[in-house]
Structures are given as C-alpha cells and as structure tokens.
Amino acid sequence: MSHFRPLAVALRGSGLWMLGRNGPGRQVFNPHRGCSSGAAQTSPSTLSSTYVEQMYYAWLEDPKNVHESWDAYFRSAQVNNPAADISKLRPSTLLQGRAMTQTPAMSQKVVEDHLAVHNLIRAYQIRGHHVARLDPLGILTADVDSFVPSDLITTIDRLGFYGLDESDLNKTFQLPSTTFIGGHESTLPLREIIHRLETSYCGHIGVEFMFINNLEQCQWIRQKIETPGIMKFTDREKRTLLARLVRSTRFEDFLARKWSSEKRFGLEGCEVLIPALKMIIDKSSAAGIDTVIMGMPHRGRLNVLANVVRKDLDQIFCQFDPKLEAADEGSGDVKYHLGMYHERINRETDKDITLSLMANPSHLEAVDPVVQGKTKAEQFYRGDPEGKKVMSILMHGDAAFAGQGVVYETFHLSELPSYTTNGTIHVVVNNQIGFTTDPRMARSSPYPTDVARVVNAPIFHVNADDPEAVMYVCRVAAEWRSTFNKDVVIDLVCYRRFGHNEMDEPMFTQPLMYKQIRKQEHVLKKYADKLIAEGVVTLQEFEEEVAKYDKICEEAYTRSKDEKILHIRHWLDSPWPNFFTAEGEPKSMSCPPTGLSEDILKHIGEVASSAPLQDFSIHSGVLRILRGRADMVSKRTVDWALGEYMAFGSLLKDGIHVRLSGQDVERGTFSHRHHVLHDQEVDKRVCVPMNHLWPNQVPYTVCNSSLSEYGVLGFELGFAMASPNALVCWEAQFGDFHNTAQCIIDQFISSGQAKWVRNNGIVLLLPHGMEGMGPEHSSARPERFLQMSKDDPDRYPEFTADFEVQQLYDCNWIVVNCSTPANYFHVLRRQILLPFRKPLIIFTPKSLLRLPEARSSFDEMTTGTKFRRVIPDNGAASENPGKVKRVIFCTGKIYYELLKERKQLKLEDTVAIVRLEQISPFPFDIIKAEVELYANAELLWCQEEHKNMGYYDYVRPRFLTVLSNKRPIWYVGRDPAAAPATGNKFTHLAELKRFMDTAFNLTAFEGRCF
C-alpha cells in the first residue's frame, strides 16, 4: 500500500472524509464486512496507510461505499500502476503487517470474515464428500459414519459457525490461491462461493485428497474438480458413452435370458464399469500407454472380457454349455475366473493396445500383487522404468478392499524402487454390501477405500448412476496417473441388482435395500432419456443401437453351438511367444547338462570375491568373507553362497535376467550372501559385483522386500509370469514364514497350470532345518508341498529314455532338498535349461552354509555334469553292497549328522546312506536301482522332522510301490507332534540322540511286523 501513502498525507489537511455521494447522511464504509453504520468519526491526525487500506477494501466491495474522490483515485491507481495492480493481489498480501499495527475493530472484522471464508472453502475441500449424493438408491450414505460435518453450510444457520449470517450471503469476498471456484474471477459473493463449493464437492462426486502432503498434487486436483464448467462432454462423447452402456447392459440381459439359472456374477447395478474402464484405457492410450494389465474379482468379469478385452462372444457363450467336452489341458476353472490376452486397435486413439486380464481364484484380492508383479516385469523388459508404456488397473469389491490384508500389502509395494509400477488405477465396485453383510458390520473405517490413504492416493467417490460423472472421474484418474505416476482410487458407489449371484435371495437379509432396488430405474434408460431430451440422440437411434448389439449377441450364440471342445489355452492371460510350439507344447523333451567350463567358474568366483568399484571401503567382516571366497576359488571348491553366485552369474552371461527378492536377501538372513556391498565411508554408496561380471550382460536384480510374504510372493509370481527367460527367486527369511503366503502357494503356484494352462518358473528358497531354534525357525513345512504334488504314489511308471524330463513335465511343481552346493548350482541352472517351466521349491540350508564338509569341488560343476536327483553312497558300503545290512535313505542336512555318527561307530561298510535330492517328482528309476543294489539290506527312511511332518508320508507309499510291497521301509526320526520343533535346546539334542541311536542300531527292527 506504499503508493497510497502520499495521498494519505495530502488528505490530512483536505477535510475529505468518508462522505457518500448523497451527502453525510449516507451510510458508507463499515469495519464489519457488509454491515452498515454511520460514517466513521475519524480525525485527520489518525489518517494512515492502514486507514487507506480500509478504504480500499470498502471500495473493492462496492465503489459506492466510498467518496467519489476515493473511487476516482483507486481507478486511476489501477490504470497508472499496472505493475502494482493491487486488485489482483490476494488478501494475505494486502494484509501483510496488519497484525503488527494497532487496527480498529472495523479492519479486524474484514480480516476475520475473509479468513472465515477461506476456512469455509477448505472445509468443503476436506469434508465435502461426507454430504455428497453418492448412493444411487438414495437410502444410504456411502460412508459408515453417516455424519454431517458442522463446518459445511447444509442449513443457513451453519453460517454462524464462521461468525457469518444470512446478511453476508451477498457480500463479495476475495478468493484464496487454494481454490479454483472463481474461474477467471478473483472475487465472488458468499452465496456463489457456497453454491460452487456444493457443486464441486457435494454433488455426485465426492473427493478425498486433502490428506496428500504435496501442494502441487492438491492444487492439480482442485483445478480438475473446482473449475467452473470443467465437467463437460461433447455430443460425440455422450453418444459413445451411451453406446458403451448399451453393450454393457444388453450383454447382461442376453445372458440372463439365455441362461437364467446359471451363475455368472453379472454386472447389473454397476453397468457403468464397462464405459469407465474404456475411458481409462482411452485416456491412457492417448498418453502413450500401449499395454494394460488388469486384475478383478468375479463380478462383471464376463462383461469385461466381452466388452473391454474383446474376447469373442461365441467363446464366452460356449462356456455355458454343460455338454462341452474339455480338452486334455488340465482341470480348468469356472468361466468367471478365466483370464485373457488380446492385442487390438483402440478405436478412440487409433493406436495399438494390448490388454491382459489375469485369471484368478475366488480368493478375493489375491490377484492384486500378481498383477503388479507382471506389470513391473513388462515395464522392466520394455525398458519402461517410468511406466509410460505399461500400466495396471485393479478392480475390487468394497467388502474385500476393506477386509483383505493383501490390499494393504500391495499398496505398500507401490512406492518401493524395485516394486513400483509407477501408479495403478484402482476401481472399486462398491455394492454397499458384502455378500449378505452390511458395511457397518464389515469395516471400521468410514469408506471401504480408506486403506488407500496410507500411500497418499487420491480417492474419487462417484455415484454410479451418473454416467457422465463417472466418465469425468475416470478421465481425471487417468490423467493423474500419467502426470504423477502414483496410485489413484475410483469408488463406484452402486448396488447389486440381484444377490451375491443370480441364484441368491438377498431379501432374506437386506429387505429395505432390495425393495428400493426393485423400483430402481436402469441407468441405461435414465441416461438414454436424458440424451434424447437434450437432443443428442433420437429414440430411433437409441433403439437401433440396442438392436444392433442384440443381433451381434444372437449371431455369436448361434456360432457357439458349433463348439464341441473347450480349450483352456484360448483363455491364456500370459502367452510366451516362440517359447512353445504353436500348439503350446515344448519344442523338445530333453535338458542339456548344466555344468560349466572351469574358466567361467573361476571368473565368476573372482568377481564374487571382490568389489569392482574403485576406492570402495568394505567392512572388515565382509572383507574376510570375500577373502574366504577367493581362497575357495584357488582350491577349486565352493560353498553355498559361491555355488549360488556361479549359477546366477552364468545365467546372466546367457542373457537370462535373474531377480532375487525377499526379506533381507541382499545380505542374506544368515549373513552368507552379501550380493550388495555397502561403502563404509560414503552413505548409500553400494556395489553389486554380480552386475560387473560380463560386458553387455543382462542386469541382476537383488532387492530387500517389505516385511510381507503374501504380497511379495504374489508380486514375484507375477514377475515370473511375464517371460520364460528369467530366473525369478523369492526367499523367505525363514521357511516357516511362507505360510503367511499360503494363498499364493495353494491357489496360484501349485494349481495355476492345471486351472489356467499358465506355466511359471518361480523359485521358492525356503530355509529349513531342525537346529534347536524353536518351532517357528525350524520347518518350511515340506509335508504341505509334497501333499500337493500330483504324482501317483501307487502307479509304477514306465521308464523311457526321457523319463527324467517327462516326469518334470507331468508334475505341477518340483520339490528339492539339496545337500551340496554343486547340486544347488545345477538345479538353479536346470530351471532355465528345461524346455518348459515349473515352479521350483528348494528347502535351503542354514547351518550347512558354513559347514566345511558341505562344500563341493569344481569337478562336480564343470562341463558335462548335471543335477543329481539321488546321490548314492560313495564309500565302502557301495564297494561291497552284499555286506551292507542297512540302507538309510534321507534328504538334506540330516545326511551330515548321519555321516558323522556312522564314522564314530565305524559302520561305513555295514550301513549305506543314500541322499534323496529331488523328492518330487519321486525318482522311481534311481530308487529302484538302489534298492536292487542292496537287495539283502534293511531299508530305513530317516528324517529330523516329526513323523507326521517332513517327507515320510510322501516317500513311504512310493518306496513300497518300487518294492512291490514285498519289503518294508522303516521310519526313524522324531515322534509325531503338534508343533514343528521343541523350543528347548536340551530336548532338541535328546531327540536327535535318540533317533540317531535307532538309525544305527542294527537290531532295532527285529521282530517287527510289516
């Protein structure tokens, strides 16, 4: 206000006071914003720049509030001083310094009223969604709290909360920089401010975003939501929306007519989901996205397959035929679990778009991390680190989104460097009910979407019966993801026209809701009537659009009757071009040897023993480990860490990406790996020697994960799905903890190929071994994996030339427990050299990591060597098998304890010890040879696990099949128990001594009946 001061000085002697144009009796400038009073009795000696400021505010409100001379002066000041055009300044600028001066009450009221209006605007931005009209049924509020915030002007008396009243509604206020409701105007009357806020935040869209701690992002959302007239659509866009609603609605109507008694989990009540997804894809395609990977529950899946992914309708319709014979490709799955992969042209952008809808089980939200993992992999292989080409869309149900913990786990991966997919668009189909459970019983949070707040994802609630509002929200969500590469949530508040499925009766539990639903007009009719009234389409055009799609459905239905065989591979969601034959079969049934030349082994060993970066300060303890590796290389031996290093490093040389993920995997739970070296002098400076092995090698990814099993294992499974030319490993901190991810193991890894013809080569590294560490740090539960292995224990197989590979091809996964670093090295390399992919479960050691006896020579890893499914006894017993009285079969760490005990007892020529390295599929051919070699010996299975756990229940019937049930195989190990291990060290050692004594007591089973 400095340029007003000269005038203020001149006025001190002029006698020009606040005289209105009608004389001294006119009520003019008042310190209370908009209130009236007589002319202020101010003496000339008190005139100051502060007083002139007050005059300016009065003039700004209405030029008639001040004398003509003031009006002329302020107008002149604007014309002559455009650079200092104070009318464009915000109140915060104009009022600088006021608090430091003694202001009259009138000035204070002006400030207070402006601050009150600013707070009112902020209240709507924060809490306006609580009173938004989101429920299409009009009987519920979308949030469980159902409260009306006291700071929203829902009734006129609420103005009192801000010290305002009805008389202030026509007063004009300067707008703050944190709102866009003014458009090109910087001031608005209070009545209009409230109206525009209600339009922006309390209509059919409710927005939660003010918890985001980034001002730029908040401003971006405000601009998209508040700008007057921004939510407009052209007539062409409206006709496109109507056509998409026709397809979405009539598809469900067609299924209902043809198969009225079939479960299909239709989309009725949320038909707008289809145009919503298509809008997201259209806008993302325009921004450069060419691949979209989607995950969703069962509701609406067939509609999405038909109208978004564009699966042939006849292929969908034939799924309803109960007489359709299944091809011999696996057990298959119900139609509303199947996925699809399709490349097509996006009609709106005329660009290529690849859509993949992931198959998934009924376990709601389990597919979320899988989708994210596959998306990350596609971005990695495409060289798309910022997610500008590949993105994911996840659809959810309201009850599952709030109730399933994996949703939270997946959100927490969204910002982690090795797991981020650079923003996912989440679409919640909010039925306002979970099966039969009301929201107030299903969640403690106001909204089902509140979990998204943990990652600062904006949440757009929208009434699903307002298609244009939904389209606008989807457009904004796609733009948000493209602009900020962060997650965003769309909450489609809708209803479920029928029950949980079409056969369910919802009136049992929600009578009021379903009485209203039965009266609810279909969204297609409401929107069609609206466009007809607007003159956008005619009734005839609308009816022609409906008839056109009905005809498409009828023709597809006729074609579907020609289908005789159901091929699951037609529903494959993750094809691997050129890896299999056109029929989906392996190109061969052989596996080359997995050994390497000694030069390669030596080179990898040397790099593993060093830090390739200059001036890199290594911790003395790590330096000791590296020196130990160098010493092993010079002696042509490897331990477990070095054997793993050589397997990984050799695959990188061959162009195979290797990814190792899990809790603390960079160092290793047991401090054995050290794949990431940390500079001790420079913070955050690291070195990954594996990435310095070869010129132009493919990158090696090793990444510590969040402390999650379910989410991270699902993510790695998805990553392994994208390409067969990658070794993707997930390591549990201890094998015991994998059961937190049991859903992924049971529903995806074990049965994924049988259900969905989906090959996957993921590797699970599960530290296992009974070492006195208690019941939660001992067992990776091998019995569970073996129980789910599908080979028949009672069928004696036919041994062919390719028996080993054929066995692997026929199984659902491979379960191994390696006792040597060389075999560990070979099984990792075999995983890639096989002509197909199967999940590999490896029970990895703990104490063996440093056991000197558990080392391997280069001779076991050089050219021509391969994985040994069984390692026979190679001592005195094998030289004279006729003298052997007992053969102990075992697997894993227990071998070394048996070896030590046998040596102490000097029974090397009497007792043979045979190691079963590959447990499943069971090596019938080698076991047959071994039992025939020791035809006169007693056979034992020895394990350190309890009898009702471990391997015994799996191996026993298979041994008996090999033996034609003519000879027994006795059990030696711990007794049955409820817990996997004791927590008492003394008890642990006593148990071990007891069954060791039994193992080498050659008379222990005399007189026992078989």
Side-chain angles (χ1 to χ4, degrees):
M1 302 294 290
S2 60
H3 53 289
F4 287 155
R5 286 176 186 150
L7 179 64
V9 173
L11 288 173
R12 282 178 182 155
S14 69
L16 288 177
W17 298 113
M18 297 171 61
L19 299 176
R21 291 173 184 168
N22 296 323
R26 184 178 186 270
Q27 295 182 338
V28 289
F29 175 74
N30 189 300
H32 289 236
R33 180 89 177 174
C35 295
S36 304
S37 73
Q41 302 298 312
T42 309
S43 68
S45 61
T46 62
L47 188 61
S48 67
S49 62
T50 301
Y51 171 73
V52 178
E53 248 180 282
Q54 298 166 8
M55 298 290 285
Y56 170 71
Y57 270 109
W59 174 80
L60 191 64
E61 188 175 274
D62 185 351
K64 294 180 181 180
N65 283 346
V66 298
H67 190 272
E68 292 175 358
S69 59
W70 279 113
D71 183 27
Y73 174 76
F74 289 134
R75 292 182 188 279
S76 175
Q78 283 190 332
V79 172
N80 297 327
N81 297 281
D85 187 355
I86 56 174
S87 68
K88 295 181 180 177
L89 296 178
R90 298 293 182 183
S92 58
T93 304
L94 292 169
L95 296 174
Q96 278 181 354
R98 278 199 177 194
M100 303 300 294
T101 62
Q102 185 65 36
T103 60
M106 63 179 80
S107 176
Q108 184 176 351
K109 178 60 176 171
V110 172
V111 175
E112 289 175 353
D113 285 356
H114 269 83
L115 289 176
V117 172
H118 293 188
N119 286 335
L120 184 151
I121 292 170
R122 183 173 175 82
Y124 274 89
Q125 292 170 341
I126 296 173
R127 287 175 286 279
H129 56 86
H130 284 295
V131 295
R133 293 174 287 113
L134 299 176
D135 180 20
L137 303 175
I139 57 174
L140 298 172
T141 53
D143 61 295
V144 172
D145 287 350
S146 303
F147 82 103
V148 177
S150 58
D151 52 358
L152 300 184
I153 312 303
T154 52
T155 57
I156 202 70
D157 62 297
R158 292 289 181 92
L159 286 169
F161 182 87
Y162 296 99
L164 302 167
D165 57 37
E166 189 173 359
S167 65
D168 293 308
L169 288 174
N170 294 323
K171 304 304 185 288
T172 302
F173 290 86
Q174 189 83 18
L175 298 173
S177 61
T178 53
T179 187
F180 292 84
I181 59 173
H184 298 297
E185 302 174 86
S186 59
T187 62
L188 284 176
L190 179 58
R191 186 186 306 276
E192 184 64 18
I193 289 173
I194 295 171
H195 171 70
R196 295 192 184 186
L197 289 171
E198 288 177 343
T199 300
S200 299
Y201 292 107
C202 307
H204 286 163
I205 298 174
V207 191
E208 292 184 87
F209 69 100
M210 290 292 282
F211 53 82
I212 296 174
N213 50 21
N214 181 296
L215 179 59
E216 178 193 0
Q217 293 171 9
C218 287
Q219 286 289 79
W220 188 93
I221 294 173
R222 290 183 186 115
Q223 188 269 328
K224 295 291 182 183
I225 297 299
E226 296 179 354
T227 303
I230 196 170
M231 198 177 79
K232 288 184 177 178
F233 292 86
T234 65
D235 287 354
R236 179 184 175 278
E237 290 171 331
K238 291 178 180 180
R239 286 192 292 269
T240 298
L241 171 52
L242 180 65
R244 290 172 171 177
L245 264 180
V246 166
R247 288 174 172 260
S248 175
T249 305
R250 299 303 292 177
F251 177 82
E252 298 294 351
D253 291 348
F254 185 83
L255 296 184
R257 288 198 309 272
K258 297 295 184 182
W259 298 281
S260 59
S261 60
E262 278 274 351
K263 280 186 187 178
R264 55 186 167 83
F265 295 96
L267 200 52
E268 291 94 341
C270 194
E271 293 90 346
V272 77
L273 175 66
I274 300 304
L277 293 175
K278 293 175 81 70
M279 171 62 83
I280 293 170
I281 293 167
D282 290 347
K283 291 302 173 185
S284 300
S285 173
I289 293 292
D290 59 27
T291 301
V292 179
I293 299 167
M294 298 183 287
M296 71 177 298
H298 40 279
R299 186 181 182 207
R301 175 176 286 263
L302 296 180
N303 208 324
V304 170
L305 284 165
N307 289 312
V308 178
V309 185
R310 299 281 182 80
K311 178 70 175 173
D312 291 340
L313 291 179
D314 52 311
Q315 290 290 317
I316 295 175
F317 295 159
C318 75
Q319 288 275 338
F320 288 90
D321 185 354
K323 298 177 182 177
L324 199 64
E325 184 179 341
D328 187 20
E329 298 170 328
S331 55
D333 202 349
V334 292
K335 49 189 168 289
Y336 39 81
H337 287 174
L338 299 176
M340 176 62 185
Y341 174 97
H342 187 49
E343 299 176 13
R344 62 175 175 84
I345 299 291
N346 183 281
R347 294 176 182 174
E348 292 297 307
T349 60
D350 201 32
K351 293 181 179 180
D352 290 332
I353 190 83
T354 299
L355 301 175
S356 175
L357 177 63
M358 304 294 286
N360 62 274
S362 283
H363 295 61
L364 296 171
E365 307 296 342
V367 78
D368 296 357
V370 182
V371 168
Q372 300 298 67
K374 188 185 176 191
T375 303
K376 181 67 174 179
E378 295 285 358
Q379 291 175 351
F380 176 82
Y381 297 128
R382 295 277 305 279
D384 181 28
E386 295 181 354
K388 300 298 184 185
K389 301 174 185 175
V390 183
M391 68 172 285
S392 58
I393 300 174
L394 286 176
M395 285 155 273
H396 315 267
D398 53 318
F401 199 61
Q404 291 293 323
V406 71
V407 175
Y408 182 85
E409 293 186 36
T410 305
F411 266 117
H412 267 287
L413 298 177
S414 65
E415 299 286 331
L416 304 183
S418 295
Y419 302 87
T420 180
T421 58
N422 303 285
T424 296
I425 298 178
H426 301 264
V427 182
V428 179
V429 176
N430 187 349
N431 303 315
Q432 306 183 83
I433 186 174
F435 204 152
T436 67
T437 304
D438 289 331
R440 69 182 187 278
M441 303 298 180
R443 63 178 188 264
S444 296
S445 60
Y447 295 102
T449 52
D450 287 334
V451 64
R453 286 169 165 258
V454 299
V455 292
N456 280 333
I459 303 165
F460 297 93
H461 308 281
V462 58
N463 186 319
D465 264 17
D466 184 346
E468 290 182 13
V470 173
M471 293 309 102
Y472 183 70
V473 160
C474 291
R475 178 192 296 171
V476 172
E479 291 171 355
W480 166 273
R481 194 263 173 200
S482 177
T483 303
F484 297 109
N485 295 111
K486 290 176 65 69
D487 284 31
V488 56
V489 177
I490 300 167
D491 179 20
L492 291 178
V493 184
C494 57
Y495 57 91
R496 201 181 57 196
R497 189 166 285 278
F498 302 111
H500 176 65
N501 60 65
E502 290 71 22
M503 303 297 99
D504 194 46
E505 175 50 77
M507 290 288 285
F508 290 157
T509 50
Q510 277 77 31
L512 174 63
M513 172 184 271
Y514 275 87
K515 284 176 184 175
Q516 179 61 38
I517 288 173
R518 287 176 179 176
K519 295 186 288 185
Q520 191 79 359
E521 191 173 35
H522 285 77
V523 66
L524 175 61
K525 185 177 187 310
K526 286 197 284 190
Y527 191 60
D529 289 347
K530 176 178 181 290
L531 295 194
I532 291 169
E534 291 176 0
V536 176
V537 297
T538 65
L539 177 60
Q540 181 181 350
E541 289 172 333
F542 170 63
E543 291 174 344
E544 287 174 354
E545 187 69 33
V546 172
K548 175 183 169 184
Y549 189 68
D550 286 352
K551 182 181 178 185
I552 291 171
C553 290
E554 286 291 351
E555 291 172 349
Y557 176 68
T558 301
R559 290 195 305 274
S560 72
K561 294 180 178 179
D562 297 332
E563 295 287 340
K564 303 300 180 187
I565 296 178
L566 172 63
H567 291 280
I568 310 171
R569 68 170 181 267
H570 292 165
W571 298 77
L572 186 61
D573 57 17
S574 304
W576 291 340
N578 304 318
F579 185 70
F580 294 112
T581 65
E583 292 75 30
E585 298 296 325
K587 293 181 178 179
S588 73
M589 284 302 289
S590 63
C591 180
T594 47
L596 297 169
S597 71
E598 188 156 337
D599 289 342
I600 292 177
L601 295 175
K602 186 176 180 182
H603 171 72
I604 297 173
E606 289 170 350
V607 173
S609 308
S610 64
L613 299 184
Q614 294 294 321
D615 302 320
F616 195 88
S617 177
I618 303 176
H619 189 279
S620 59
V622 176
L623 197 58
R624 187 166 57 251
I625 292 171
L626 298 185
R627 287 172 181 160
R629 288 179 183 172
D631 182 60
M632 283 189 286
V633 172
S634 68
K635 295 177 181 177
R636 301 181 67 253
T637 61
V638 298
D639 63 2
W640 290 87
L642 199 49
E644 179 184 77
Y645 218 109
M646 291 176 172
F648 289 176
S650 60
L651 292 173
L652 295 172
K653 181 178 185 294
D654 296 335
I656 302 299
H657 173 57
V658 178
R659 177 182 170 94
L660 174 61
S661 163
Q663 295 159 26
D664 312 296
V665 296
E666 295 178 6
R667 191 203 75 170
T669 299
F670 310 102
S671 197
H672 68 290
R673 183 174 287 123
H674 294 283
H675 282 190
V676 178
L677 306 179
H678 293 258
D679 194 311
Q680 299 299 298
E681 303 297 331
V682 182
D683 186 37
K684 298 181 182 177
R685 187 187 184 209
V686 297
C687 172
V688 182
M690 193 87 76
N691 279 323
H692 298 266
L693 281 169
W694 320 100
N696 304 316
Q697 69 172 68
V698 296
Y700 169 57
T701 301
V702 56
C703 45
N704 290 340
S705 74
S706 63
L707 205 128
S708 154
E709 287 82 29
Y710 192 166
V712 175
L713 179 56
F715 187 97
E716 301 308 328
L717 177 80
F719 200 103
M721 221 174 269
S723 171
N725 298 315
L727 184 71
V728 179
C729 306
W730 175 77
E731 182 175 71
Q733 192 178 68
F734 281 82
D736 311 64
F737 304 147
H738 81 260
N739 58 8
T740 308
Q742 199 70 47
C743 177
I744 297 295
I745 294 169
D746 291 355
Q747 311 310 132
F748 290 88
I749 300 178
S750 170
S751 56
Q753 183 177 356
K755 292 191 290 189
W756 308 314
V757 201
R758 178 198 279 170
N759 274 243
N760 197 295
I762 190 170
V763 178
L764 273 61
L765 305 176
L766 306 177
H768 172 82
M770 316 294 280
E771 297 176 357
M773 296 180 69
E776 274 75 54
H777 293 82
S778 297
S779 176
R781 297 286 190 176
E783 64 277 3
R784 294 183 177 172
F785 293 94
L786 295 173
Q787 184 213 11
M788 289 188 284
S789 297
K790 73 166 191 174
D791 57 327
D792 188 344
D794 302 319
R795 188 179 69 84
Y796 194 70
E798 179 183 350
F799 302 140
T800 58
D802 59 359
F803 175 72
E804 178 180 350
V805 176
Q806 186 65 50
Q807 251 199 327
L808 297 175
Y809 180 68
D810 292 338
C811 75
N812 59 318
W813 56 18
I814 305 164
V815 181
V816 303
N817 189 352
C818 301
S819 62
T820 70
N823 237 14
Y824 179 48
F825 159 86
H826 284 298
V827 80
L828 289 173
R829 285 184 48 78
R830 185 184 74 170
Q831 187 70 355
I832 292 298
L833 294 178
L834 284 169
F836 46 82
R837 294 290 175 263
K838 299 284 179 175
L840 173 61
I841 316 300
I842 306 179
F843 301 117
T844 56
K846 292 177 285 189
S847 61
L848 298 193
L849 296 173
R850 293 179 177 82
L851 187 70
E853 292 82 3
R855 291 185 179 177
S856 296
S857 165
F858 277 15
D859 294 335
E860 300 170 64
M861 304 164 66
T862 50
T863 305
T865 58
K866 65 175 188 175
F867 176 72
R868 303 173 74 187
R869 292 175 290 152
V870 174
I871 301 180
D873 192 298
N874 60 357
S878 63
E879 294 170 4
N880 194 350
K883 291 180 59 180
V884 171
K885 295 182 178 180
R886 175 172 289 180
V887 181
I888 301 176
F889 290 92
C890 65
T891 186
K893 175 181 76 73
I894 194 65
Y895 165 75
Y896 293 96
E897 288 159 334
L898 290 167
L899 196 67
K900 179 181 177 181
E901 187 76 8
R902 184 179 69 172
K903 184 177 180 180
Q904 288 178 347
L905 296 173
K906 297 182 172 52
L907 293 173
E908 288 93 336
D909 57 348
T910 308
V911 177
I913 305 175
V914 179
R915 286 170 273 175
L916 195 61
E917 302 281 293
Q918 177 179 295
I919 306 154
S920 179
F922 191 74
F924 284 96
D925 52 337
I926 305 178
I927 294 298
K928 180 176 185 294
E930 287 296 306
V931 297
E932 289 176 351
L933 177 65
Y934 302 103
N936 301 319
E938 189 177 45
L939 307 180
L940 264 67
W941 175 261
C942 181
Q943 65 179 38
E944 58 182 349
E945 296 82 6
H946 291 279
K947 189 175 183 179
N948 57 323
M949 303 175 195
Y951 319 91
Y952 181 62
D953 285 340
Y954 177 84
V955 300
R956 182 178 182 274
R958 289 162 178 80
F959 267 102
L960 294 179
T961 296
V962 170
L963 297 166
S964 301
N965 288 292
K966 295 178 180 177
R967 294 167 64 188
I969 179 162
W970 302 111
Y971 169 79
V972 173
R974 288 181 166 89
D975 292 335
T982 178
N984 182 277
K985 191 76 172 180
F986 178 83
T987 304
H988 166 76
L989 294 174
E991 290 172 344
L992 177 64
K993 183 180 186 306
R994 183 186 58 76
F995 77 75
M996 278 292 166
D997 289 346
T998 304
F1000 291 99
N1001 178 357
L1002 300 183
T1003 62
F1005 298 98
E1006 284 185 0
R1008 294 273 296 270
C1009 295
F1010 167 52

